[in-house]
Amino acid sequence: MISKLRACVVLSWLDRLVQAVARVAVSTPDIRRNTQQKQVVWTRQLLPVMALLPALFSTGAQAQPLTGDENWDDQFLVDGFDGELEAVTVADNGDVYVGGDFTTAGGGVAASNVAKWDSATQQWQALGLGVNARVKVLTMDSSGNVYAGGFFTTAGGQTARRIARWDNATQQWQALGKGVNEVVRALVTDSNDNVYVGGDFIMAGSEFANYVARWDCALQQWQALGQGVDLGVHALALDSNENLYAGGWFLQAGSVNANHIAKWDSVNNQWQSFGSGVDHLVDALTIDSNDNLYAGGWFTRAGNSANSNHVAKWDSAMQQWQAMDSGIDSSVLALAADSTGNVYAGGYFWAAGDEPASNVAKWDSHKEQWQALGSGVNAGVNELALDSNGYVYVSGRFNVAGGRYTGRIARWTTVAGQQTGDNGIGDGQATDNVLNLDGSNGESSDAGAIGWLVLCLTGIVAVGRANRTGGRN
């Protein structure tokens, strides 16, 4: 019976795939109307469908755990979220902040597009009234205040155009002047708590600021960075000298040709390029302790390196682009570097180098090779964050990590056996490596197969959301 049910579901999914192809072939995304961006949005609509199809062909009720799955932590389980997570950041005390497109956080907590995991109470909490539309990015300042950017126009019930600050002292939302006139996609704060903002805007407050701007914390005003760039900014990062790095759609920064990636020199206040740049959209940036820059996105070439598939390293000493093995086989949306120079990548992909890796992987900078994080996660990763212990927080569309049901956020621990308990969060069962969707503790059953069907049906909801929003736009 179950095999026939699987066959019917497979046919249904194939039909959905054909319909999706037909839809995106005639659609025109309302982001920025050039051919490359259409291609990216179309691909993003199809990837969630394709990524979940293999689950329908599994012959057992339970996915067998892989080496490393014991490092996945389902501490945030509760009931998960009712929508996609796009952003995550972690405070020094272990509190975790998430943003996205949701109205309910774990445990049935009403939370409008932004929420906090309180490490003391071990519960999800709303941040006041939240914001009125999707959150794309979060960051924190040195005082633990949280900055949110995205599509919203109100925060805490007050006007806040696409960017706002959650004041941890007053527990209230605050606008940053008049905000910006279009979507915010990237945020980073410097040592003086100034906030650098990237996105689709051309106005910041009353300043003309093409796609990138700075909020001066002391002066409480917006400032342009020279002439800015000529198209949208999707990623920002700061090095140890507080030079700013930007990645996105642009081909020019100030008066400099800069293919999708550029540097704002904080001393000379001017834009600089990185060789010949990269050949397609940059969606993610991170910098290691040696100020080497890592870029991720949709490109296949970085500088003269033709094997830089979707991820590459700019060597700050050699001043050149370097491939990272053979790269990653599809889009990279998130990057994070730890204190030892290892780099974690997340996105929509199936392999990193020669290693099968489901949507998340680690670049071992010492061995110069990719490593899978166990069996990874079952759908796209939108953002990564690291805490002071080097633990990796992963958020996105997925609901299974390392064989455990996780509800769109999970933590990868760097030491096996420390999945739970060190910060008081979780169920304390470090030996239960795999939790079936039917709760059967690994015994094969029809109920287990139905569990996998439930997972796939959950994917249909994600696909519907992707089709409505144009993917991770």
Side-chain angles (χ1 to χ4, degrees):
M1 172 185 169
I2 294 298
S3 60
K4 291 180 180 178
L5 179 59
R6 275 207 191 101
C8 292
V9 174
V10 168
L11 291 174
S12 173
W13 272 80
L14 290 175
D15 179 62
R16 284 178 176 274
L17 182 58
V18 171
Q19 291 182 39
V21 171
R23 275 198 304 274
V24 299
V26 297
S27 66
T28 303
D30 190 26
I31 305 171
R32 195 156 311 283
R33 299 174 184 271
N34 65 48
T35 302
Q36 285 187 328
Q37 284 173 307
K38 291 178 189 176
Q39 177 188 1
V40 169
V41 173
W42 294 353
T43 307
R44 283 176 177 167
Q45 287 177 320
L46 294 179
L47 281 174
V49 184
M50 298 169 66
L52 285 172
L53 279 173
L56 296 170
F57 295 95
S58 61
T59 57
Q62 173 190 350
Q64 294 302 311
L66 300 180
T67 301
D69 277 351
E70 67 276 10
N71 289 39
W72 283 106
D73 186 348
D74 58 357
Q75 60 178 315
F76 303 112
L77 175 58
V78 194
D79 293 325
F81 290 76
D82 66 346
E84 180 178 2
L85 297 187
E86 300 235 27
V88 59
T89 191
V90 187
D92 290 339
N93 68 352
D95 292 345
V96 180
Y97 296 84
V98 296
D101 184 13
F102 57 86
T103 58
T104 304
V109 175
S112 184
N113 301 303
V114 62
K116 166 187 171 182
W117 173 265
D118 189 301
S119 59
T121 65
Q122 304 175 38
Q123 293 179 341
W124 287 103
Q125 299 177 356
L127 299 187
L129 297 177
V131 299
N132 71 325
R134 185 166 23 149
V135 171
K136 292 290 296 179
V137 61
L138 296 171
T139 194
M140 302 185 72
D141 65 19
S142 61
S143 300
N145 300 310
V146 179
Y147 294 82
F151 288 76
F152 56 86
T153 55
T154 67
Q158 305 297 316
T159 299
R161 295 195 306 162
R162 284 96 187 181
I163 185 169
R165 181 177 76 165
W166 173 256
D167 189 305
N168 259 329
T170 64
Q171 295 286 288
Q172 292 181 343
W173 286 101
Q174 300 172 351
L176 273 62
K178 295 181 180 179
V180 300
N181 71 320
E182 261 298 346
V183 179
V184 169
R185 300 183 183 276
L187 293 172
V188 66
T189 56
D190 66 18
S191 60
N192 294 316
D193 290 341
N194 300 310
V195 185
Y196 292 86
V197 184
D200 295 346
F201 55 86
I202 57 172
M203 295 289 296
S206 57
E207 292 286 321
F208 286 100
N210 292 319
Y211 306 104
V212 61
R214 180 175 70 176
W215 173 259
D216 189 299
C217 181
L219 297 176
Q220 292 287 289
Q221 66 183 29
W222 287 102
Q223 299 172 346
L225 300 185
Q227 299 172 30
V229 299
D230 66 342
L231 272 177
V233 170
H234 281 220
L236 294 172
L238 286 169
D239 67 17
S240 60
N241 295 314
E242 303 205 326
N243 298 305
L244 179 72
Y245 300 82
W249 281 112
F250 57 86
L251 301 176
Q252 186 168 328
S255 59
V256 176
N257 291 329
N259 292 321
H260 304 290
I261 189 166
K263 170 184 174 181
W264 173 256
D265 187 312
S266 63
V267 175
N268 298 311
N269 289 328
Q270 64 184 23
W271 289 100
Q272 300 175 357
S273 62
F274 287 86
S276 57
V278 301
D279 65 355
H280 212 316
L281 171 66
V282 170
D283 248 335
L285 293 172
T286 193
I287 294 177
D288 69 16
S289 56
N290 293 317
D291 280 345
N292 297 309
L293 176 70
Y294 297 83
W298 294 78
F299 55 86
T300 57
R301 175 184 288 271
N304 295 322
S305 177
N307 207 28
S308 300
N309 294 308
H310 305 104
V311 64
K313 170 185 175 181
W314 174 263
D315 189 299
S316 61
M318 301 289 290
Q319 290 290 290
Q320 66 182 23
W321 287 104
Q322 296 178 353
M324 300 167 68
D325 195 359
S326 58
I328 289 176
D329 71 341
S330 193
S331 59
V332 172
L333 304 184
L335 292 171
D338 67 19
S339 59
T340 65
N342 298 315
V343 177
Y344 295 85
Y348 287 87
F349 54 82
W350 293 269
D354 295 328
E355 186 79 11
S358 182
N359 301 305
V360 63
K362 170 185 172 182
W363 173 254
D364 188 313
S365 62
H366 308 290
K367 297 179 180 179
E368 294 194 338
Q369 65 183 29
W370 289 101
Q371 298 174 355
L373 303 191
S375 57
V377 299
N378 71 321
V381 170
N382 289 332
E383 191 57 281
L384 301 169
L386 277 77
D387 67 14
S388 57
N389 295 313
Y391 296 157
V392 185
Y393 296 78
V394 183
S395 66
R397 279 189 171 140
F398 62 88
N399 54 21
V400 173
R404 299 168 178 230
Y405 180 71
T406 56
R408 293 183 169 78
I409 182 170
R411 189 179 76 168
W412 169 265
T413 65
T414 52
V415 180
Q418 292 187 1
Q419 301 93 321
T420 56
D422 60 318
N423 64 356
I425 305 172
D427 59 12
Q429 301 298 317
T431 58
D432 289 341
N433 292 334
V434 177
L435 175 65
N436 279 351
L437 297 182
D438 64 352
S440 64
N441 276 333
E443 293 185 11
S444 179
S445 67
D446 281 1
I450 292 173
W452 279 110
L453 176 58
V454 170
L455 170 59
C456 295
L457 292 175
T458 303
I460 292 174
V461 176
V463 173
R465 184 180 298 274
N467 287 333
R468 289 195 303 274
T469 63
R472 187 178 181 258
N473 57 18

